[in-house]
Amino acid sequence: ADNGVHTFANLAVFFKAGDQTLMATDASDSTITGTQTVSVSAAAAASMTVGGFPTTDTAGDDHGFTVSLLDPYGNLASGYTGTVTLSSSDGNAALPGPYTFTAADAGAHTFDVTLKTAGAQTITANDGTFTEDEAVTVVPAAAFTVKVAGFPSSITAGDPGSFTVSIFDQFGNPANNYLGTIDFTSSDPQATFA
């Protein structure tokens, strides 16, 4: 009844985006075969992923942070044109403004982000539907400045006084990795430091 032609209604379902091949082969003779190439497009965005930023970062270093939108099958949602906004638990972070994805992005875009505050931080991507975070531990940058504090504001000549020396990076983080040597001087040529 088929006269060599049969239509298989809604039988094949593809999940991987890109050019795929549909093959039909005679079960008794594998030399009788045919193929058709099918271009599979990604479905609509169903989730967001973020990544690319190092898990440990030095304050002030600039790195890429990639936001990807995926369809339900793990393909990049190449048709996504939503607007993504980045934020961070680091109130001093240098972040780009909101970005609207274009066709050229094909579902993924990399942003330049600079974190400046030492400690556990997060970078968050949000488009109003999806929200994703990436955790980052920020360590202080190299020593940049010395702060002297705690010495009494008035003292009697010859009496010793205590003070605290703190080392900071250029962003105001304590330079807890500083291992240098501090020399002391004074406008008093007779001052001693024991």
Side-chain angles (χ1 to χ4, degrees):
D2 288 327
N3 291 323
V5 178
H6 185 85
T7 300
F8 296 89
N10 298 320
L11 179 68
V13 179
F14 293 91
F15 297 99
K16 185 175 180 182
D19 287 342
Q20 306 299 335
T21 304
L22 173 63
M23 295 167 280
T25 305
D26 182 280
S28 300
D29 183 353
S30 63
T31 63
I32 303 172
T33 186
T35 62
Q36 178 182 352
T37 300
V38 179
S39 179
V40 180
S41 298
S47 65
M48 175 187 287
T49 64
V50 295
F53 209 88
T55 56
T56 300
D57 183 39
T58 300
D61 285 357
D62 181 50
H63 293 286
F65 176 77
T66 302
V67 177
S68 302
L69 282 299
L70 304 176
D71 73 6
Y73 312 107
N75 300 299
L76 283 172
S78 55
Y80 177 79
T81 56
T83 299
V84 171
T85 301
L86 298 186
S87 60
S88 176
S89 59
D90 179 354
N92 295 317
L95 302 168
Y99 178 79
T100 301
F101 278 59
T102 66
D105 292 315
H109 186 78
T110 300
F111 301 87
D112 287 328
V113 174
T114 304
L115 299 179
K116 299 177 183 178
T117 305
Q121 304 294 348
T122 57
I123 306 169
T124 302
N126 182 304
D127 74 345
T129 300
F130 308 112
T131 301
E132 280 295 316
D133 297 322
E134 184 164 14
V136 179
T137 300
V138 180
V139 297
F144 181 75
T145 188
V146 177
K147 181 178 179 181
V148 179
F151 200 87
S153 59
S154 64
I155 194 167
T156 302
D159 288 349
S162 300
F163 58 95
T164 301
V165 174
S166 303
I167 312 296
F168 296 93
D169 71 8
Q170 70 187 75
F171 306 106
N173 299 303
N176 54 16
N177 52 358
Y178 177 76
L179 300 174
T181 301
I182 298 292
D183 290 325
F184 299 104
T185 59
S186 172
S187 58
D188 176 352
Q190 295 178 334
T192 61
F193 304 95

